[in-house]
Amino acid sequence: MKKKVLFVCIHNSARSQMAEAFLHQVCGDVFEVHSAGIEPGKLNPIVIQVMQEAGIDISSNQTKSVADYLSQTFAYVITVCDETSAERCPIFPGMARRLHWGFPDPSSFQGTREEKLAKTRKVRDGIKAKIELWCAEVCPAACV
C-alpha cells in the first residue's frame, strides 16, 4: 500500500502543485500524492509554463481545498509556504508526520514576465531538488 502525502500551501496554485507533480514523477510508485490550499485560487500560468519546460503538464490540474482532505489520513503532510507567510501556513489535523519546506511564492514575484519566469524556475528547481533528496532518504531502493 502506498504512503499518502499531502502538500499544503496557501492557494494550491504554484508550490504545492509543483511538489505534487515532482513527487509523483520521482517516486509515484511509493507515494499517493495530493496537494491542497487553505484558500484555493487559480493555477498560476507561469507555473504551468515552467513545469511544461520541465516536461510535466499540470495545465489540467485543479486547485483543491485542505477541507477536501480533512477526513483522510496521511503519512506525511508537507507545507511549502515561505517563511514570510509561515504564520498563514495551515496546520493539518491528524497523526501525519509534518514537514516544512519553505519556498518563495511565485504569485508575489515582481518584475517583467521574463523576470517572473526566471524566479519561478528557481523555485521549481529548488522543489525538484528537495523532492529528489527527500525520496533518496525516505525510500532509496524504490525511488528513481
Side-chain angles (χ1 to χ4, degrees), residues 108-142:
S108 71
F109 294 158
Q110 301 295 311
T112 65
R113 180 166 175 80
E114 282 307 313
E115 291 169 333
K116 291 177 183 178
L117 280 165
K119 292 174 186 176
T120 304
R121 287 181 188 114
K122 284 184 181 179
V123 172
R124 175 202 63 201
D125 295 345
I127 290 171
K128 182 179 181 187
K130 185 68 175 178
I131 294 287
E132 290 171 343
L133 179 65
W134 186 67
C135 284
E137 293 171 358
V138 174
C139 58

Side-chain angles (χ1 to χ4, degrees), residues 53-66:
E53 292 170 4
I56 299 174
D57 182 6
I58 63 167
S59 62
S60 63
N61 287 15
Q62 299 295 313
T63 60
K64 299 163 290 294
S65 172
V66 169

Side-chain angles (χ1 to χ4, degrees), residues 55-125:
I56 299 174
D57 182 6
I58 63 167
S59 62
S60 63
N61 287 15
Q62 299 295 313
T63 60
K64 299 163 290 294
S65 172
V66 169
D68 297 337
Y69 295 98
L70 291 177
S71 65
Q72 297 185 37
T73 302
F74 291 90
Y76 297 92
V77 173
I78 305 170
T79 53
V80 289
C81 307
D82 64 4
E83 297 308 318
T84 61
S85 66
E87 69 279 357
R88 293 186 64 209
C89 256
I91 303 295
F92 194 84
M95 298 300 294
R97 184 140 180 239
R98 294 171 197 350
L99 303 172
H100 176 74
W101 302 342
F103 292 98
D105 184 359
S107 71
S108 71
F109 294 158
Q110 301 295 311
T112 65
R113 180 166 175 80
E114 282 307 313
E115 291 169 333
K116 291 177 183 178
L117 280 165
K119 292 174 186 176
T120 304
R121 287 181 188 114
K122 284 184 181 179
V123 172
R124 175 202 63 201
D125 295 345

Side-chain angles (χ1 to χ4, degrees), residues 7 15-27 33 35 51 56-58 61 131:
F7 288 100
R15 298 162 288 183
S16 53
Q17 292 274 348
M18 289 189 276
E20 176 185 8
F22 281 127
L23 184 56
H24 181 73
Q25 179 188 55
V26 173
C27 215
V33 191
S35 68
M51 290 301 285
I56 299 174
D57 182 6
I58 63 167
N61 287 15
I131 294 287

